[in-house]
Amino acid sequence: MAGLKVYLDLMSQPARAMYIFCKATGIQHEIVPVRILQGDTKTDEYTAMNPFQKVPVLKDGDFTLTESVAMLRYLATTRDIADHWYPKDTKQQARVDEYLEWQHIGTRFLCSSFFMAKMMKPMKTRIPPNEKNVQNIKDVMEKQLELVERIWLKNGEKDFIGGGKDVSVADLLAACEMEQPRMAGYDVRDKSPVLKLYMDRVQDRLNPHYAEAHVGLNEMVKKFKGEVPESHYKKIDA
């Protein structure tokens, strides 16, 4: 099917997941770059397409979706792709869906919150982060990461979250979310051998597209090393 457009800013975790998915599955599509920090999502044209002013956005002809989980399910069921991405078997599919429903208040919420509190908000406001708040979010995030390790991966007994022998959309979203804290100086690979093996396994399975999607993130990690420079903050007169 022709006419598929995906609007992306690769600083966004779900946007990276969509980029990797479209590339890895070979779905015919067009990538439309969006720059969040430059205000591209706030324009009248973009807002008419997505009133939430978020990325990613999927347009398939005159059909538009604004939520990444819905996009992945839609493409998995309307395109001819390998079954492991989103299994047709009811029980296997339910295992993938189980994580997709949980991750909104788990990895999605906490990994993003940590990055926002330590890096994004200070960058925007030019005010140093509230260290107590950052630590509190970090503590809760680590509890969620422990759940990924202990429950979703069964302490390393499972290679992939859905329990299958190959990567699914659940792994795609999980890995992209767990990459985000690296920009705020927190690498899950350094904290857990199980998560390191898992992240490496997903990346190896999805390269070169995984690496392509994370070029910008890796540049941010190298440039800032998890800290907003002191020179960036507003100077307050004594």
Side-chain angles (χ1 to χ4, degrees):
M1 298 174 67
L4 181 67
K5 293 184 178 182
V6 187
Y7 295 74
L8 304 175
D9 183 332
L10 294 179
M11 287 293 103
S12 157
Q13 307 93 298
R16 294 195 298 270
M18 282 297 298
Y19 176 94
I20 297 166
F21 180 77
C22 290
K23 295 284 187 178
T25 57
I27 291 172
Q28 185 177 2
H29 68 287
E30 176 187 349
I31 297 292
V32 182
V34 177
R35 303 164 302 168
I36 295 174
L37 292 179
Q38 279 68 42
D40 290 355
T41 61
K42 307 296 185 182
T43 65
D44 291 343
E45 181 181 3
Y46 194 91
T47 301
M49 181 172 60
N50 182 1
F52 299 111
Q53 300 181 327
K54 304 290 186 181
V55 292
V57 169
L58 177 151
K59 283 187 68 67
D60 192 12
D62 60 359
F63 180 67
T64 303
L65 285 172
T66 60
E67 286 292 331
S68 57
V69 170
M71 295 176 204
L72 291 166
R73 286 174 173 150
Y74 172 75
L75 291 177
T77 53
T78 61
R79 266 57 176 182
D80 183 16
I81 63 173
D83 187 67
H84 63 83
W85 288 104
Y86 190 63
K88 293 181 178 65
D89 178 87
T90 304
K91 291 181 179 178
Q92 292 177 10
Q93 186 180 113
R95 284 292 176 219
V96 173
D97 283 335
E98 188 176 29
Y99 178 81
L100 297 181
E101 299 299 333
W102 174 84
Q103 59 106 27
H104 291 291
I105 59 169
T107 46
R108 171 78 182 125
F109 178 65
L110 273 306
C111 291
S112 176
S113 294
F114 178 73
F115 166 68
M116 293 295 291
K118 189 177 177 190
M119 291 295 292
M120 185 57 72
K121 185 177 178 180
M123 288 288 288
K124 285 185 174 181
T125 63
R126 300 183 65 190
I127 298 172
N130 181 317
E131 295 298 341
K132 183 178 180 180
N133 183 48
V134 171
Q135 184 61 49
N136 288 341
I137 296 172
K138 178 182 175 183
D139 291 343
V140 181
M141 178 183 73
E142 288 184 330
K143 290 179 181 178
Q144 299 303 310
L145 294 173
E146 189 271 335
L147 293 178
V148 175
E149 177 177 339
R150 179 169 56 85
I151 296 177
W152 296 109
L153 295 174
K154 291 190 175 179
N155 294 314
E157 293 180 15
K158 293 167 63 176
D159 285 343
F160 300 103
I161 284 175
K165 296 181 179 179
D166 206 343
V167 68
S168 74
V169 294
D171 302 292
L172 187 54
L173 288 170
C176 288
E177 294 295 345
M178 290 192 287
E179 291 283 5
Q180 199 76 353
R182 286 204 296 122
M183 289 192 286
Y186 187 101
D187 192 336
V188 302
R189 295 173 179 83
D190 296 337
K191 309 297 180 179
S192 164
V194 169
L195 292 182
K196 181 183 187 307
L197 286 172
Y198 171 71
M199 295 286 284
D200 290 348
R201 184 181 305 120
V202 173
Q203 180 172 351
D204 290 345
R205 172 64 180 82
L206 296 175
N207 271 338
H209 314 299
Y210 192 98
E212 292 168 2
H214 288 88
V215 167
L217 184 148
N218 290 329
E219 289 176 350
M220 289 282 288
V221 172
K222 184 177 180 180
K223 179 178 180 180
F224 292 105
K225 297 180 174 58
E227 299 288 344
V228 177
E230 288 291 331
S231 60
H232 181 78
Y233 297 131
K234 297 176 181 177
K235 289 184 170 51
I236 301 176
D237 294 333

